[in-house]
């Protein structure tokens, strides 16, 4: 994948090597080459569930903290941006939404007039110039720390959001959802430590009152949507009190 500068044309973009990529009718550009692994790109149903749940404001406290950490960064990226919800609330200048799901990026392209939406696989080299971004968000998404360090400016910041052990309790137990991996925080630090140093870390916890529709949405928008599980929804109170617990971490490149 070319990582040179792009020029914007009326219906396409072109890089310095004269590679031309069309802008879709929905406003995103597909820079993905080859096929992706099954079960990595959000489906239309997952995207719709995420859009409805986030639009209801349930995760606004997370979005507000991310906006604070982005500060006055003028070029903010989001690796695994989904519908662009967090990026749209964080940017002061321009934003770049990167996601493997074209269904999600159809919405990300409309989330804010200054967001550019690009289909790309976070596990592969990113179609972004080195030292291009002031801040890179990575919210409940896969991480590629070497590439993240490459695309951030010296003095820039990577901001990660990962679920805590109590996240979405009691839904995890009641509905048989996927559990947070043991020592997830330690695994995160080990994964990014070669390229990044810890700058700031917050544990954000709050309770949500979710009716059964919202429960279905929060389950349907996450990784458990890919797996067979016991439903158990009718056995839950309506509404049910659900715990949101996330670790929000800012990392500085080691250079």
């Amino acid at each position: 994948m070319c990582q040179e500068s792009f020029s914007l044309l009326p219906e396409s973009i072109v890089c310095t090597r004269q590679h031309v990529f069309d802008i879709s009718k929905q406003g995103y550009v597909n820079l993905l080459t080859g096929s992706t692994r099954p079960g990595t790109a959000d489906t239309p149903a997952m995207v719709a569930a995420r859009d409805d749940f986030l639009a209801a404001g349930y995760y606004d406290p997370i979005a507000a903290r991310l906006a604070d950490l982005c500060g006055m960064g003028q070029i903010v990226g989001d690796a695994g941006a989904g519908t662009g919800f967090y990026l749209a609330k964080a940017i002061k200048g321009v934003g770049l939404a990167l996601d493997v799901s074209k269904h999600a990026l159809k919405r990300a392209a409309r989330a804010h007039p200054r967001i550019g939406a690009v289909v790309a696989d976070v596990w592969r080299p990113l179609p972004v110039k080195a030292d291009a971004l002031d801040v890179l968000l990575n919210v409940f998404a896969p991480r590629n720390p070497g590439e993240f360090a490459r695309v951030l400016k010296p003095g820039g910041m990577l901001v990660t959001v990962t679920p805590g052990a109590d996240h979405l309790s009691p839904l995890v137990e009641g509905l048989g959802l996927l559990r947070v991996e043991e020592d997830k925080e330690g695994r995160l630090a080990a994964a990014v430590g070669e390229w990044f140093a810890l700058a700031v870390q917050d544990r954000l916890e709050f309770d949500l009152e979710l009716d059964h529709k919202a429960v279905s949405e929060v389950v349907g928008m996450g990784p458990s949507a890919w797996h067979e599980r016991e439903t158990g929804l009718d056995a839950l109170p309506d509404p049910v009190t659900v715990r949101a617990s996330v670790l929000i971490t800012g990392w500085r490149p080691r250079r």
Side-chain angles (χ1 to χ4, degrees):
M1 172 56 63
C2 180
Q3 295 171 337
E4 304 294 333
S5 298
F6 287 96
S7 297
L8 181 62
L9 302 178
E11 296 182 350
S12 62
I13 62 172
V14 58
C15 77
T16 55
R17 299 182 184 180
Q18 299 305 302
H19 299 140
V20 179
F21 302 88
D22 293 336
I23 300 173
S24 73
K25 292 185 296 183
Q26 294 85 6
Y28 67 86
V29 177
N30 191 341
L31 298 184
L32 185 65
T33 57
S35 59
T36 59
R37 291 175 296 173
T40 56
D42 286 355
T43 65
M46 294 172 70
V47 171
R50 178 175 290 110
D51 206 32
D52 289 346
F53 184 83
L54 294 177
Y58 294 116
Y59 280 1
D60 279 359
I62 300 174
R65 183 58 181 137
L66 293 179
D68 288 342
L69 287 174
C70 286
M72 297 307 295
Q74 291 300 297
I75 307 176
V76 178
D78 191 342
T83 61
F85 172 79
Y86 299 104
L87 182 60
K89 292 182 177 295
I91 60 175
K92 308 298 190 298
V94 296
L96 176 64
L98 301 165
D99 201 281
V100 74
S101 171
K102 65 180 181 181
H103 306 294
L105 289 180
K106 290 176 183 178
R107 304 193 186 221
R110 303 193 302 269
H112 193 285
R114 295 196 304 277
I115 285 180
V118 175
V119 180
D121 189 343
V122 170
W123 293 110
R124 303 180 187 178
L126 301 177
V128 181
K129 288 182 63 176
D131 303 338
L133 305 178
D134 296 305
V135 182
L136 180 63
L137 303 177
N138 182 245
V139 185
F140 301 126
R143 290 171 294 277
N144 187 342
E147 275 296 281
F148 292 175
R150 182 185 66 81
V151 302
L152 277 167
K153 296 177 181 179
M157 181 178 283
L158 168 67
V159 182
T160 59
V161 179
T162 52
D166 293 332
H167 188 55
L168 298 186
S169 178
L171 300 185
V172 172
E173 299 82 2
L175 302 181
L177 307 185
L178 295 178
R179 296 181 179 273
V180 175
E181 301 171 2
E182 287 190 27
D183 194 29
K184 190 174 183 67
E185 295 174 17
R187 291 170 183 264
L188 172 63
V192 305
E194 179 180 350
W195 294 273
F196 291 94
L198 177 67
V200 60
Q201 192 167 71
D202 294 337
R203 189 174 303 280
L204 183 60
E205 297 184 320
F206 51 96
D207 287 333
L208 304 169
E209 292 296 315
L210 303 184
D211 60 20
H212 281 189
K213 176 178 180 294
V215 170
S216 295
E217 290 167 352
V218 76
V219 172
M221 76 185 203
S224 290
W226 291 105
H227 298 271
E228 292 289 339
R229 62 183 185 280
E230 298 179 7
T231 56
L233 183 61
D234 291 341
L236 294 175
D238 190 5
V240 58
T241 301
V242 176
R243 189 68 167 168
S245 175
V246 298
L247 188 69
I248 301 176
T249 310
W251 309 85
R252 297 289 186 187
R254 292 186 183 276
R255 56 188 176 89

